[in-house]
Amino acid sequence: MKKIDLGLKASSDPEQIKDRLQYQPNVFEFYTAENDFTRDGLKRLAYGIDQVKDAGINHIVLHHPMRYREYFTELLTPEAKLPELYRFIEQSSLDLLQLAYDKNVQVLIHGSYSRQTAEFLSLYPDLAHAEEYVFKRLDHFKDLGKEHVMFENSISPVFYYGDEALDAKILAHDYRLAFDTSHCFIKWQGDNAKLMTALARLKQNIVHYHLVDSLGQTHDSLELGKGKIAWENILPLLNEDATNIFEIVLKDQTNALEQVNSFKYLKTLEEKLDVNI
């Protein structure tokens, strides 16, 4: 069974980094934003990575920014129709991948989002054409990033986990995967069996987990134990070689309490499962 990491998430803000480092996490994920991609922003991010590395943390993930101005950074974005957004997605990904190679860290890119997906889908003849375009973009970043890039699932119709045919296509492309438990759970409207099937089927390609609880209806990002995910059934299905963080909504961004509480919850459950085994 996978040994659960204390994986914490923060921005490049010094106060957030200081707060997370006091817990001596095994894994650190930087949640980047549009302002990280100015000259000064990239310097600040690089300094933050060095600071985390100096604290003895070797597993570092750079999460691609979710937004650019009013838009989500959808890989669905067609260059001809939304050139400025397309250029930001491309350049910000290249910037992160350069940091990944320079610092020997990982980059996480979302295969899709959900809140504006319908708007972007309307730019394509049908879902099949949109899906093919996204896979071409994923292939592009896979070729650039190699062992430094991974792709995360959404709850949108385009890139999600748990559908047998789509999972097979994802595996055929041999992507390195980031698996967000809440996204899969919400996609299947709170179906633990579907979540377990997806975890087992994709296990060999999963390199990183976002361990997040949910009630299974909306994107609620709950502390573990406060949703409906059956964690006692999930733990044995996790890839032993993958890293993880706890991507929980925080009341205070300078206090990782809900992330740490989620780690403690799983460690207690892990100990009980070890005794029973």
Side-chain angles (χ1 to χ4, degrees):
M1 188 166 69
K2 170 178 162 53
K3 181 180 180 296
I4 298 300
D5 296 313
L6 174 54
L8 302 179
K9 188 172 185 179
S11 72
S12 58
D13 173 67
E15 286 302 310
Q16 291 189 32
I17 294 173
K18 180 181 177 182
D19 170 73
R20 306 319 187 248
L21 291 183
Q22 71 176 311
Y23 297 104
Q24 300 179 306
N26 310 100
V27 184
F28 197 106
E29 185 169 320
F30 283 94
Y31 183 81
T32 67
E34 183 181 340
N35 63 3
D36 288 308
F37 296 92
T38 63
R39 181 176 296 181
D40 288 343
L42 286 168
K43 287 180 180 178
R44 182 178 61 246
L45 181 57
Y47 178 80
I49 294 168
D50 289 340
Q51 186 180 356
V52 171
K53 278 182 165 287
D54 288 344
I57 302 164
N58 296 317
H59 299 294
I60 299 173
V61 179
L62 310 177
H63 190 298
H64 189 256
M66 285 180 60
R67 290 178 178 271
Y68 175 69
R69 298 183 180 175
E70 74 270 26
Y71 289 110
F72 280 81
T73 51
E74 284 279 1
L75 291 190
L76 270 173
T77 304
E79 183 176 12
K81 295 185 179 180
L82 292 165
E84 189 175 354
L85 176 60
Y86 180 94
R87 284 195 297 271
F88 176 78
I89 294 169
E90 185 71 14
Q91 188 58 54
S92 58
S93 299
L94 294 176
D95 289 339
L96 291 182
L97 289 171
Q98 186 62 61
L99 279 171
Y101 279 102
D102 291 345
K103 307 288 188 182
N104 192 25
V105 299
Q106 297 284 307
V107 172
L108 183 156
I109 298 175
H110 262 259
S112 180
Y113 288 98
S114 61
R115 295 173 193 171
Q116 290 181 325
T117 306
E119 179 183 344
F120 284 85
L121 283 174
S122 69
L123 303 175
Y124 294 84
D126 51 39
L127 179 59
H129 282 83
E131 185 180 285
E132 284 304 313
Y133 181 81
V134 166
F135 272 82
K136 286 179 182 177
R137 296 290 285 147
L138 293 169
D139 287 343
H140 166 65
F141 290 120
K142 175 191 172 186
D143 291 343
L144 290 173
K146 297 181 171 49
E147 74 279 4
H148 290 286
V149 71
M150 63 182 79
F151 305 114
E152 183 181 343
N153 57 315
S154 174
I155 58 177
S156 85
V158 181
F159 188 80
Y160 62 95
Y161 301 154
D163 175 80
E164 186 173 0
L166 188 55
D167 287 351
K169 185 172 181 178
I170 289 168
L171 290 174
H173 283 252
D174 199 27
Y175 296 139
R176 301 173 77 249
L177 303 178
F179 194 117
D180 187 301
T181 53
S182 70
H183 292 171
C184 186
F185 193 61
I186 296 163
K187 178 66 180 179
W188 298 105
Q189 293 293 286
D191 189 330
N192 271 289
K194 281 280 194 180
L195 172 58
M196 291 168 63
T197 297
L199 283 165
R201 189 157 53 214
L202 298 171
K203 181 177 179 178
Q204 63 183 334
N205 281 57
I206 299 170
V207 297
H208 186 58
Y209 293 96
H210 283 175
L211 300 178
V212 196
D213 216 333
S214 173
L215 295 175
Q217 302 301 315
T218 60
H219 197 272
D220 39 7
S221 299
L222 299 179
E223 191 176 311
L224 270 63
K226 295 190 175 182
K228 294 183 177 180
I229 291 180
W231 293 103
E232 67 278 7
N233 297 327
I234 299 306
L235 277 177
L237 298 174
L238 302 182
N239 187 326
E240 295 83 356
D241 297 322
T243 55
N244 68 263
I245 66 154
F246 297 91
E247 193 183 38
I248 316 301
V249 170
L250 302 178
K251 292 177 183 175
D252 176 0
Q253 291 300 326
T254 62
N255 184 346
L257 178 64
E258 292 87 353
Q259 294 179 26
V260 175
N261 284 346
S262 294
F263 170 71
K264 290 177 179 177
Y265 172 87
L266 269 202
K267 291 304 286 185
T268 300
L269 185 57
E270 184 182 55
E271 289 167 8
K272 290 179 181 177
L273 290 173
D274 282 341
V275 169
N276 291 335
I277 290 171

